[in-house]
Amino acid sequence: MSASQVPVGGTGVLEVKNLVKDFTVRSGWKRSKLRAVNEVSFTLEPGKTIALVGESGSGKSTVARMIAQLETPTTGEIHLDGRAIARHGDALARYRHAVQMVFQDPFASLNPYHTVGHHLERPLKIHGVAKGDDLEPAVHALLERVNLTPGEVFAAKRPHEMSGGQRQRVAIARALAPGARFLVADEPVSMLDVSIRLGVLNLLARLQREENLGVLYITHDLATARHFSDEILVMYRGNVVERGPSDEVILNPQHDYTKTLLAAAPEPSRHGKLRDEVRAELAGNA
Amino acid sequence: MAKGALRQLLPSRSGKLTTGLVIVIGITLFAIIAPFFTQNPRSSQNPAMLPPGADHLLGTTSLGYDVFAQLAEGARSSLLVGVTAGAIAIVLSIIFGIVAGYVGGWTDAGLRLVTNIMLVIPAIPLQIVVASYLQKRSLVLVAVILGVLGWAGGAVVLRSMALSLRTRDYVSAAKVAGEKTWRIILVEIMPNLLPLLAAQFLFAVILAILNEAGLSYLGLGPNNSITWGTILNDAQGGSALTRGAWWWFVPPGVLIALFGCGMSLINFAIDEIINPKLRSAPQAAKRVRKAGGDVVVNAEQEPEKVNA
């Protein structure tokens, strides 16, 4: 968590170059290729946030899984600190040390069988951040950093005893545990109650400032993307159809899909319009 | 492991579980304790074919063996065969099921091929062939044969469970955290399969005891050991049935049936942890039946209304 744990050359960027992912789709005897991600490139810098926006199935989660090395890209490369990333062994462990991920569903990403403490101890141990007697205080400190106080109470809990927001905080703490420099957040608030989304996002933003994290924020919500990120990439059917500084993309959308996306967001000035329309229609029928 | 974790894994108390536990623990205690108090089950000094009485609780056989003593010794060996074979079977089904399901690819293809072959070979004839090929069969050898030939069904179930668990986010998260494959299987996946594994183990034990009894009845059981199956085989050889010596063949048969019944009852209780819907299934079924009855009544009433 301190500068001393950052490996040598740890000030570089995470670069994604022409990433392509094809999935083989089988239906009966027929096999066809589905291109989930097509030639996606971007550069994630420390302290910066890139938002990847798109509808379900647009390939944004696949990009996240490829960066987290849960999927292998069909073609294209991912570079960390200017070097192509490793897929095996110690070099992969070093990569995981630098790049971590927060999953979408906090009800699925924590093992129901293990305590919160276990979830945080393991990455601390694996990445040599703390061991032995230091482990417990380190776990408690992590929990307190994500506003789960007192740490020792939450460390003893198991996932089902916590709310969605609390679970997602644990998931964020777990991603921070190795002392990562880059964080892939795959729709981190989409499964949470609307009332606690902002809290979790503000927490992420605070941690980002504290650790100078590079964040890839994946979402389908343009409003939070604008609130949270420096740059927005809009994905549609595997392609990046629009990219640019956040305000630019929101205020001056170029691509049709971005315009549709913006129009789909509820607009304060239209509040009550829909209700009035329904009422008028009902009155007309009567 | 936290206390809560343990409690969640334990089945809730119910009539089924209590009955099952009483039967199984009772028979196990009988197997452990009774042989210390009975006479030598291999001593033929007693008068032959005595019906149950004060001296010989369950009478004697045609060769003058004490049936109660044989039953107690047989319980010991039968349970030993069952537990050993069950343990071997469960370890093999974990290797062939969970590893295949989790690792996937060529490992999966290879392990699944072996599983499928084992699955289609009819187990009892193969056991007969193997057992008759081996002239000297110790108790442990019979247990190994039964265990090695009895894991395939469990492996199929475990493989499909592992296939479903491997795509869970918490497994992906463990991978991203840098956990090694074997640790993910043992620490992240296996605990969530514990109820299923326990159920499969119990099932494997019942199956092994039944199969051992079957083999022994055919005279292919362990040499020089007394099990419930060999007692039945002896009873058959001594024509107990035609001579009306019910005390010879009924007790081992009843014990085999009781033990299987007890284990199954425990298994049902464990099933309720895996699938909580089962817990409310009887009540739900009753409710549906009731509702269905009402509908029928209404249907009968309706024509009258129309007539009126």
Side-chain angles (χ1 to χ4, degrees), chain A residues 16 35 155 183 203 247:
Chain A
V16 169
R35 181 148 292 190
L183 194 65
L203 169 73
D247 288 344

Side-chain angles (χ1 to χ4, degrees), chain B residues 40-103:
Chain B
N40 180 4
R42 291 182 178 80
S43 134
S44 52
Q45 306 296 316
N46 313 299
M49 283 306 217
L50 278 182
D55 285 345
H56 302 286
L57 278 177
L58 288 172
T60 59
T61 72
S62 63
L63 294 173
Y65 297 126
D66 182 273
V67 174
F68 187 73
Q70 289 216 322
L71 204 62
E73 172 75 17
R76 233 180 219 192
S77 338
S78 279
L79 293 193
L80 190 70
V81 168
V83 171
T84 314
I88 294 172
I90 201 76
V91 168
L92 285 172
S93 42
I94 286 172
I95 294 172
F96 281 86
I98 298 183
V99 173
Y102 180 73
V103 178

